[in-house]
């Protein structure tokens, strides 16, 4: 498994030399890990910090992202990846779980850069993560990461904003209020391995423009899904709209298959949960 600390250090060193643009080259060869097994103690720590029940044999829907994140970081910190790792903004997360995933199972994990695309605020990269069991795709996700830079593109009159810039859904009823401690970023980092300095302490967040640390975007998704609940076969689509400062108070809002996280007069994320039919539970690749 690639080490996150090494990738973060390499990405930080290379970031000043990157010149992002949507037509730049990028690494086309995915990274594949065979025989991936879950560390059950680390899984339990993740479940506790995100609000999932512990001791369940099924993996939480977001946990495969944790397994694939070191490989994603290795790709995005490489010389061949054209976007600077420092300052990348996670703008969306789309997962499909085709069946329940046993925590004691063995998996093949593949992570690759699917492509680059122009964004009105810069260039966006899509990272595809796929989990297989017995040759079948049982889980996959797409994450988009935005590198902000000057662009020559100007949206035409009447052009709707991209999904990541859409206003939050204020009509959803609030169901719970969560008080988030200043140590949440450090606790999630210990469970997930994602020790990005913007999440850990005010002193390490300030160089990146944040007076306080901010919660991990993937913690906010996981916490919302733990509260919402997800069936075995499901598709989840999330748009990140604003960071969550720590410490702070947020409210979880949901109705039917839609949910949102709000706080301080802002909507931090919006998402949808859609059930999959029997025909979509597994897919061979």
């Amino acid at each position: 498994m690639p080490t996150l600390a090494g990738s973060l250090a390499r990405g930080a060193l290379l970031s000043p030399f990157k010149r992002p643009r949507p037509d730049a080259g990028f690494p086309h060869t995915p990274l594949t890990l065979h025989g991936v097994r879950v560390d059950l103690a680390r899984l339990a720590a993740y479940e506790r910090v995100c609000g999932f029940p512990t001791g369940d044999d099924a993996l939480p829907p977001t946990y495969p992202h944790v397994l694939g994140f070191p490989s994603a970081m290795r790709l995005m910190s490489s010389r061949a990846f054209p976007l600077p790792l420092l300052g990348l903004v996670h703008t969306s997360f789309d997962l499909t779980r085709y069946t329940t995933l046993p925590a004691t199972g063995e998996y093949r994990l593949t992570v690759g850069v699917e492509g680059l695309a122009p964004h009105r605020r810069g260039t966006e990269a899509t990272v595809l993560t796929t989990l297989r069991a017995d040759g079948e795709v049982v889980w996959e996700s797409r994450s988009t990461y935005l590198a902000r830079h000057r662009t020559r593109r100007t949206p035409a009159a009447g052009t709707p904003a991209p999904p990541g810039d859409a206003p939050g859904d204020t009509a959803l009823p609030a169901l719970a209020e969560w008080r988030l401690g200043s140590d949440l970023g450090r606790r999630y980092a210990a469970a997930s391995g994602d020790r990005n300095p913007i999440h850990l302490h005010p002193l390490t967040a300030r160089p990146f423009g944040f007076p306080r640390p901010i919660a991990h975007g993937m913690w906010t998704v996981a916490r919302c899904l733990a509260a919402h609940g997800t069936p075995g076969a499901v598709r989840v689509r999330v748009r990140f709209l604003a960071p969550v400062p720590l410490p702070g108070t947020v409210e979880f809002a949901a109705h039917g298959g839609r949910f949102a996280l709000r706080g301080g007069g802002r909507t931090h994320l919006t998402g949808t949960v859609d059930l999959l039919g029997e025909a979509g539970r597994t897919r061979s690749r």
Side-chain angles (χ1 to χ4, degrees):
M1 188 76 74
T3 61
L4 278 168
S7 295
L8 185 60
R10 182 171 61 252
L13 290 172
L14 293 176
S15 286
F17 305 101
K18 300 294 183 74
R19 298 294 179 263
R21 65 180 196 278
D23 60 345
F26 60 88
H28 288 270
T29 303
L31 299 178
T32 298
L33 298 175
H34 299 268
V36 174
R37 288 189 174 274
V38 172
D39 181 325
L40 297 182
R42 184 177 173 188
L43 171 62
Y46 176 88
E47 290 169 333
R48 285 192 295 269
V49 75
C50 295
F52 292 107
T54 58
D56 192 349
D57 184 50
L59 292 177
T62 48
Y63 198 72
H65 174 86
V66 174
L67 298 176
F69 191 63
S71 294
M73 284 287 289
R74 181 177 176 182
L75 286 170
M76 291 191 292
S77 65
S78 68
R79 292 182 182 275
F81 187 71
L83 309 186
L85 186 64
L86 294 184
L88 275 186
V89 179
H90 198 176
T91 51
S92 73
F93 178 67
D94 183 337
L95 79 84
T96 304
R97 183 175 64 183
Y98 296 100
T99 186
T100 54
L101 309 176
T104 53
E106 183 174 304
Y107 301 99
R108 179 156 61 99
L109 179 71
T110 302
V111 181
V113 181
E114 195 171 50
L116 304 178
H119 186 282
R120 68 189 186 94
R121 293 182 178 177
T123 298
E124 207 167 48
T126 299
V127 175
L128 172 64
T129 301
T130 304
L131 202 67
R132 291 175 173 83
D134 298 323
E136 292 185 327
V137 176
V138 292
W139 186 98
E140 62 185 349
S141 75
R142 284 174 174 82
S143 282
T144 57
Y145 297 93
L146 172 66
R148 293 175 175 168
H149 59 85
R150 291 182 179 273
T151 69
R152 296 179 183 177
R153 295 167 53 88
T154 17
T159 301
D165 299 325
D169 193 337
T170 56
L172 292 175
L175 302 182
E177 182 179 87
W178 300 328
R179 297 181 183 275
L180 312 181
S182 59
D183 65 339
L184 174 61
R186 295 188 292 276
R187 290 192 294 117
Y188 181 81
S192 68
D194 183 357
R195 291 181 171 82
N196 188 321
I198 64 174
H199 304 302
L200 304 181
H201 192 276
L203 292 178
T204 58
R206 282 174 196 149
F208 301 94
F210 296 100
R212 290 184 284 165
I214 61 173
H216 293 74
M218 287 305 300
W219 177 87
T220 63
V221 177
R223 185 66 188 91
C224 287
L225 292 180
H228 185 280
T230 54
V234 66
R235 183 179 183 189
V236 177
R237 285 171 282 192
V238 173
R239 297 294 176 263
F240 300 105
L241 303 175
V244 177
L246 298 174
T249 301
V250 293
E251 64 177 20
F252 170 69
H255 180 72
R258 294 184 297 142
F259 63 90
L261 193 66
R262 304 189 293 245
R266 310 179 76 183
T267 299
H268 299 292
L269 67 79
T270 61
T272 59
V273 176
D274 297 306
L275 307 184
L276 296 183
E278 289 293 331
R281 286 184 181 270
T282 56
R283 183 166 19 157
S284 298
R285 290 283 176 86

